[in-house]
Amino acid sequence: MDKPKARDQVIREILSKAALPTGTEPCALLGVRGYRRDTMGVRGQNDVGIYDDAIFFVAPGVFIAANANTDPSRLGWNSAIGKPFAMLCPGTWYFVRGAHKGRKPALRQADEDQSDDVKIPANGHFKVWRAQSADEIRRNVAKVEEGYFAINIHRGGDATTSSWGCQTLPPAEFDEFMLTVWEVTKKWNQDRIPYHLINGPIA
């Protein structure tokens, strides 16, 4: 699959409307759920379990795009936790560099201790939908839960997007993208990394 074709200027304009990046935090991520809404899966709706979304990273002199998954691999009941799978709500959420299940590089939702260290709003808590179906989300009746969910940005799989709610990238694109994010955010001494998630598609 070709990488997302959205232009640097378009992505930066979307981020600027969310007041990102800033002078003191010049690096930012944009996630677009349903980036390929009308060209993959069921036309006209966001699909889960496929890499039909996109994530972009911007910094001074840097722009990189990757196909991505911003959904759980499936909706419905997660018997392991006794509630539906989590889907990250649109909004701005802050990540820190770290490991996913012991594997680096990745970006992690900060726990409360980390969020205090790098001054992440709301103790680093995210908001997620707990939905049995996509229809619940479309009708705005899905339960919203706020807290720490270990939602990370990490490598997905070839046969599956490998997500209970994490944001995942295809293996073939992950290393280049994530290593760039790590290298550039370290260069700018930026320990918290804003991720602005929107619903697509975009022009």
Side-chain angles (χ1 to χ4, degrees):
M1 187 191 325
D2 292 339
K3 290 185 180 180
K5 300 295 187 185
R7 292 180 293 115
D8 184 340
Q9 179 182 351
V10 171
I11 300 306
R12 292 181 191 271
E13 286 175 354
I14 294 171
L15 285 168
S16 71
K17 293 176 182 177
L20 297 170
T22 68
T24 55
E25 293 181 324
C27 307
L29 293 156
L30 176 70
V32 182
R33 176 173 285 142
Y35 178 82
R36 301 181 191 270
R37 186 193 66 187
D38 297 331
T39 57
M40 289 182 68
V42 178
R43 185 176 179 83
Q45 72 180 46
N46 176 58
D47 298 282
V48 301
I50 60 175
Y51 295 110
D52 63 336
D53 310 319
I55 296 180
F56 303 87
F57 174 68
V58 302
V62 178
F63 175 77
I64 188 168
N67 293 296
N69 158 69
T70 65
D71 312 307
S73 295
R74 62 186 178 90
L75 296 175
W77 193 254
N78 183 343
S79 59
I81 60 173
K83 60 180 73 174
F85 287 97
M87 179 183 285
L88 186 62
C89 294
T92 300
W93 315 109
Y94 287 86
F95 288 84
V96 295
R97 293 182 298 273
H100 174 73
K101 296 184 177 179
R103 296 181 62 182
K104 295 181 180 180
L107 298 177
R108 294 187 53 82
Q109 180 182 6
D111 61 28
E112 292 191 3
D113 289 339
Q114 290 173 307
S115 68
D116 288 342
D117 291 341
V118 297
K119 298 180 174 57
I120 294 178
N123 292 320
H125 289 180
F126 290 174
K127 290 182 180 180
V128 301
W129 286 309
R130 297 284 187 183
Q132 294 279 16
S133 68
D135 184 62
E136 289 185 7
I137 296 170
R138 284 193 294 269
R139 292 189 292 113
N140 200 31
V141 297
K143 179 182 177 182
V144 176
E145 186 177 350
E146 181 174 350
Y148 176 77
F149 308 107
I151 289 179
N152 303 328
I153 303 177
H154 64 86
R155 182 196 307 269
D158 286 313
T160 172
T161 53
S162 301
S163 172
W164 278 14
C166 290
Q167 318 290 282
T168 60
L169 278 66
E173 299 179 45
F174 178 80
D175 286 345
E176 178 189 11
F177 187 90
M178 191 57 67
L179 289 171
T180 299
V181 173
W182 270 51
E183 178 183 355
V184 175
T185 54
K186 284 182 176 180
K187 173 185 174 182
W188 289 99
N189 297 313
Q190 186 172 329
D191 292 324
R192 66 175 198 173
I193 304 160
Y195 173 65
H196 186 58
L197 177 62
I198 65 171
N199 291 320
I202 59 175

